[in-house]
């Protein structure tokens, strides 16, 4: 694996070109460029806010901020996986004709989406500032310093998953359909629309603590939790007349999550490397 | 001279994939696995190409020529055997492989040169030479999807040669250019040879092989049938090709 990484570094300019190309092609011929990619999450967030806050009556002050802070990482997760499922087939010509480290393709899908994510976070912070200044909203907290670490962990997790997904789709073209279904389910299982404290209160009391730890063992659940609790202050909510109190971040589980993300990256890379030279014969 | 390309006991076996089997459903439901059919494309091949040689590979369709070129170009991994390549390689295995239709010629130059292992800074130094050689000055900032086959070939060849590789691999693509540009390509290939660089190319154009190659191999059913002096190898190859066919092609 060390040799493979060395070879990868030799081709770092190709990675840069792949990412630039991805971004250019995506926004070619559209004047609003980046803002189109932002419009979709913003409309989604507005819709979910109306449904959850006014129809389902989960009453959390400044709910859309808590939603957005979970939704932006979700979009990163979803888009990187969907893009990577197609990335090998999209570069069929290149793979069949030229040598280069194949892993650059899924990596470029992750990095292009990471750049979107970071730009979206910038917009998110502008929103927080505006809210803070004009509407006395939540202050920006010192724990924002965690953000680079959380982004790194999510990127590692995604790198591993995209290696597996991009590779599987070469051998089983149903992978992309299966992935769409799984992502749809996962969106509701991840505490994006709701807060994990709500899950906690619904767990059977006998093993509440243990079951909740199991719930946080899902790396995306833990990461969503961590984004929410480091970027925004503790919330006070009410649902159906019952108060919901914010629980502090479980650093122990965050460490476990970090380990899972690292294992994901290494394991995914090993899986991909074992199969990457067969792509040229299969596609 | 020391070999820059060396193949030792190279064998390549392909699994013929039946398309019905590649769905997940089929993989789960097919209890009795049909063993994949094997295709032996290259058998125990030993080949050593010294520095400065221009090697032509001739042979019938399906003889394994292109597979051999792709193994040298590290697109395919051999099933067994070892390949050593010493030096930076430029490959031109297809027209416009790796060009993105929506990006301009200039943007595609940066991308394609990066595929060949060049850094962005190196490309910046060479981009004017590449554009000049391709003679596409007035089209270089239009999307590649508007290019003709000849223009794609010119751009591809310009990138392949002007990035100054040690080894050049070409698979039957020069035929697309017009006579004047072909002439220019052959001149460039001559310069390449005098500079002591190595060229390996697959061709059906036997005149091109005669003009360029310092050595020719005749590849047949995954094996070298003849190897050596270009004229002699081509003559013996022609004895297996129906005479009228070749004359027709020559007219």
């Amino acid at each position: 694996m060390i040799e493979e990484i060395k070879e990868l570094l030799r081709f770092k300019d190709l990675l840069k070109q792949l990412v630039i190309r991805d971004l250019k092609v995506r926004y070619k011929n559209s004047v609003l460029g980046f803002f189109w990619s932002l419009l979709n999450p913003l409309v989604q967030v507005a819709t979910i806010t109306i449904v959850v806050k006014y129809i389902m009556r989960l009453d959390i002050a400044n709910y859309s901020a808590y939603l957005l802070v979970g939704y932006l990482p979700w979009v990163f997760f979803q888009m990187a996986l969907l893009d990577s499922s197609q990335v090998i087939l999209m570069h069929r010509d290149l793979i069949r004709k030229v040598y280069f480290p194949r892993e650059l393709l899924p990596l470029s899908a992750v990095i292009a989406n990471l750049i979107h994510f970071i730009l979206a976070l910038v917009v998110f912070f502008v929103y927080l500032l505006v809210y803070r200044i004009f509407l006395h909203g939540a202050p920006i907290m010192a724990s924002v310093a965690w953000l680079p670490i959380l982004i790194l962990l999510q990127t590692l997790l995604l790198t591993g998953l995209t290696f597996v997904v991009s590779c599987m789709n070469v051998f089983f073209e149903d992978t992309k359909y299966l992935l769409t279904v799984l992502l749809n389910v996962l969106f509701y299982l991840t505490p994006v629309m709701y807060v994990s404290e709500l899950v906690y209160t619904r767990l059977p009391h006998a093993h509440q603590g243990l079951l909740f730890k199991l719930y946080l063992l899902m790396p995306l659940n833990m990461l969503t939790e961590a984004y929410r609790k480091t970027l925004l202050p503790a919330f006070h909510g009410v649902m159906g007349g019952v108060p919901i109190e914010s629980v502090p971040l479980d650093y122990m589980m965050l460490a476990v999550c970090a380990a899972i993300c690292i294992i994901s990256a290494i394991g995914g890379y090993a899986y991909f490397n074992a199969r990457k030279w067969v792509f040229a014969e299969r596609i | 001279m020391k070999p820059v390309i060396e193949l030792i006991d190279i064998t390549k076996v392909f699994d013929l994939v039946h398309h019905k089997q590649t769905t997940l459903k089929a993989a789960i439901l097919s209890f009795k696995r049909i063993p994949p059919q094997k295709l032996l494309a290259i058998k125990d091949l030993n080949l050593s190409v010294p520095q400065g040689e221009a090697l032509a590979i001739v042979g019938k369709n399906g003889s394994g020529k292109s597979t051999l070129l792709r193994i040298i170009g590290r697109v395919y991994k051999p099933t067994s055997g070892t390949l050593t390549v010493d030096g930076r390689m430029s490959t031109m295995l297809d027209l416009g492989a790796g060009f993105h239709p929506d990006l301009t010629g200039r943007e595609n130059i940066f991308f394609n040169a990066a595929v060949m292992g060049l850094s962005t800074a190196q490309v910046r130094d060479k981009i004017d030479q590449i554009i000049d050689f391709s003679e596409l000055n007035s089209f270089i900032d239009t999307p590649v999807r508007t290019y003709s086959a000849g223009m794609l070939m010119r751009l591809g060849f310009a990138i392949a040669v002007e990035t100054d590789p040690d080894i050049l691999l070409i698979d039957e693509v020069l035929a697309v250019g017009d006579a004047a540009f072909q002439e220019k390509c052959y001149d460039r290939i001559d310069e390449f040879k005098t500079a002591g660089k190595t060229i390996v190319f697959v061709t059906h154009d036997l005149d091109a092989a005669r003009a360029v190659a310092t050595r020719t191999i005749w590849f047949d059913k995954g094996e070298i049938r003849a190897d050596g002096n270009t004229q002699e190898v081509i003559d013996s190859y022609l004895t297996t090709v129906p005479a009228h066919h070749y004359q027709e092609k020559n007219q």
Side-chain angles (χ1 to χ4, degrees), chain A residues 5-283:
Chain A
I5 291 173
K6 268 190 197 156
E7 183 71 355
L8 204 59
L9 289 177
R10 205 165 71 78
F11 275 85
K12 61 179 186 308
D13 279 60
L14 177 56
L15 182 60
K16 201 169 85 187
Q17 289 294 331
L18 276 167
V19 173
I20 292 174
R21 197 173 81 159
D22 187 299
L23 297 174
K24 266 189 188 159
V25 169
R26 202 172 295 192
Y27 299 133
K28 209 106 213 192
N29 311 324
S30 77
V31 184
L32 288 174
F34 168 67
F35 291 95
W36 279 119
S37 72
L38 209 63
L39 189 68
N40 187 31
L42 289 181
V43 170
Q44 279 281 0
V45 162
T47 315
I48 297 173
T49 303
I50 291 168
V51 172
V52 170
K53 201 164 180 174
Y54 299 104
I55 299 175
M56 299 171 65
R57 300 245 174 230
L58 169 63
D59 196 12
I60 291 174
N62 203 358
Y63 170 77
S64 22
Y66 290 92
L67 171 60
L68 203 55
V69 83
Y71 193 72
L72 295 178
W74 168 259
V75 172
F76 174 31
F77 185 82
Q78 182 184 35
M79 294 309 291
L81 279 176
L82 287 175
D83 284 354
S84 73
S85 72
Q86 296 300 307
V87 80
I88 304 285
L89 292 183
M90 260 175 53
H91 293 86
R92 182 188 306 237
D93 279 355
L94 208 56
I95 287 180
R96 287 172 50 84
K97 305 291 150 98
V98 201
Y99 165 86
F100 65 93
R102 286 6 181 170
E103 53 271 40
L104 291 176
L105 295 174
L107 277 178
S108 74
V110 173
I111 293 175
N113 282 294
L114 172 65
I115 292 172
H116 286 293
F117 176 47
I118 291 173
L119 289 175
L121 279 176
V122 171
V123 176
F124 172 73
F125 280 111
V126 170
Y127 160 88
L128 279 190
L129 273 179
V130 168
Y131 219 78
R132 170 85 182 133
I133 294 164
F134 297 103
L135 296 159
H136 310 289
I140 291 176
M141 310 192 301
S143 55
V144 166
W146 275 94
L147 186 59
I149 296 170
L150 298 182
I151 294 177
L152 176 71
L153 289 180
Q154 191 182 353
T155 306
L156 284 173
L157 174 69
L158 272 172
T159 304
L161 293 179
T162 53
F163 275 145
V164 174
V165 165
S166 60
C167 187
M168 271 179 72
N169 199 56
V170 173
F171 300 100
F172 306 109
E173 284 193 40
D174 313 40
T175 303
K176 59 173 180 283
Y177 303 114
L178 205 63
L179 180 71
T180 317
V181 175
L182 284 177
L183 282 171
N184 262 326
V185 175
L186 198 62
F187 176 69
Y188 294 99
L189 294 182
T190 309
V192 175
M193 294 168 60
Y194 51 89
V195 291
S196 61
E197 283 78 359
L198 216 50
V199 177
Y200 183 76
T201 59
R202 301 290 190 271
L203 291 170
H205 285 283
H207 307 286
Q208 206 170 23
L210 182 70
L211 286 173
F212 193 63
K213 280 201 187 314
L214 279 177
Y215 176 77
L216 292 182
L217 216 50
M218 303 279 286
L220 195 60
N221 289 354
M222 187 62 229
L223 284 171
T224 309
E225 267 287 278
Y227 279 117
R228 190 168 275 153
K229 284 174 181 166
T230 55
L231 300 187
L232 293 174
F235 62 85
H236 302 284
V238 180
M239 193 180 191
V242 183
I244 306 155
E245 285 308 318
S246 189
V247 175
L249 185 61
D250 187 340
Y251 288 96
M252 186 59 212
M253 286 311 288
L254 186 58
V256 174
C257 171
I260 295 175
C261 293
I262 292 167
I263 292 169
S264 155
I266 296 172
Y269 195 32
Y271 178 87
F272 190 88
N273 275 342
R275 289 159 183 81
K276 65 181 173 183
W277 295 114
V278 188
F279 296 166
E281 298 168 25
R282 286 298 184 94
I283 57 178

Side-chain angles (χ1 to χ4, degrees), chain B residues 9-29:
Chain B
D9 294 330
I10 294 277
T11 293
K12 180 68 197 173
V13 180
F14 287 111
D15 286 342
L16 293 180
V17 180
H18 297 287
H19 239 278
K20 279 181 191 159
Q21 260 194 318
T22 57
T23 66
L24 205 60
K25 186 183 133 202
I28 295 165
L29 293 186

